[in-house]
Amino acid sequence: NLVKKAKKLCAYAAVDSNLDLSKHRIIGIGSGSTVVYVAERVGQLPNKDRLVCIPTGFQSKQLILANGLNLGSIEEYPEIDIDFDGADEIDSELNCIKGGGACLLLEKLVADCSKQFILVADDRKNTGILGKHWTQGVPIEVVPSAYTKISRQLTVLGGKPTVRPGAPAKAGPVITDNGNFIIDCDFGEIPSNKLQALNDKIVAMVGVVETGLFVHMAEKAYIGNSDGTVTIVG
Ligand code: DER
């Protein structure tokens, strides 16, 4: 269908235009359905054996192995040359909301360790302001014992927090790859000049592990459009 085609187009374009094996050896592989095509494209490279791929969670690890790529860990490779990952929403300054797939902690860690961070997304995500299309809230990873305390603090901050349910797959909340809960907190539309302060306030709450607000981290975004074109931002 058109969305799948758009995801494949932007992912292939991002790899073809940015991955340079003469200077990139350690590459980050994100999580979600768009980055599936990034791993597929990298897996088609004739000299892919020169690469070591760093996962951002269980699904990402499976993608690396399924495409015959060398799997590394962020413990072995804390300096990553280039990272490709998806996004739930992207604003006009390439800030983004991530965490729709509950992998935001390792995604942010890998992005933080990367010299280059490239986003790949279909055009539904490219709305220009965070909270416009992605209305389920900012994903926040929290230690399970702190979720009620943090929910209260988020409400005081003006948010509407919900612990991400595991249903119908699981009774009780989603448990992340790190054994934590996800709170999705709706703050409505968030102007780009408010993002850093909001992120810092949330991260300062005891029991918060990380937020899905990726502020000034990405330098380029490849947007796949339903008309078959790719828009490059940044
Ligand atoms: O969870 C994430 O941040 C993922 O990157 C994900 O939300 C992107 O989603 P998609 O590529 O499946 O649209």
Side-chain angles (χ1 to χ4, degrees), residues 41-162:
R41 190 58 166 173
V42 178
Q44 293 165 359
L45 292 172
N47 43 2
K48 66 184 178 186
D49 270 357
R50 297 179 45 190
L51 295 171
V52 179
C53 296
I54 311 302
T56 52
F58 182 86
Q59 179 231 355
S60 169
K61 194 181 287 184
Q62 298 298 95
L63 278 183
I64 291 165
L65 298 174
N67 287 283
L69 296 166
N70 297 319
L71 176 67
S73 69
I74 191 138
E75 291 90 337
E76 299 163 278
Y77 300 97
E79 289 185 19
I80 297 168
D81 297 317
I82 187 166
D83 176 28
F84 297 93
D85 203 344
D88 297 306
E89 190 150 44
I90 302 170
D91 76 8
S92 51
E93 294 181 10
L94 291 186
N95 302 304
C96 56
I97 290 179
K98 287 178 59 50
C103 298
L104 64 99
L105 177 61
L106 265 186
E107 287 175 328
K108 201 182 248 190
L109 184 57
V110 167
D112 185 53
C113 294
S114 299
K115 295 187 188 83
Q116 286 179 278
F117 179 39
I118 314 279
L119 294 175
V120 289
D122 65 85
D123 55 359
R124 295 170 304 166
K125 319 307 190 58
N126 190 33
T127 63
I129 182 159
L130 302 188
K132 184 171 180 172
H133 145 79
W134 185 262
T135 52
Q136 76 176 54
V138 174
I140 301 164
E141 182 153 344
V142 303
V143 296
S145 49
Y147 86 89
T148 41
K149 170 254 188 205
I150 292 168
S151 296
R152 286 198 190 134
Q153 288 178 288
L154 290 167
T155 305
V156 168
L157 209 52
K160 296 187 196 70
T162 314

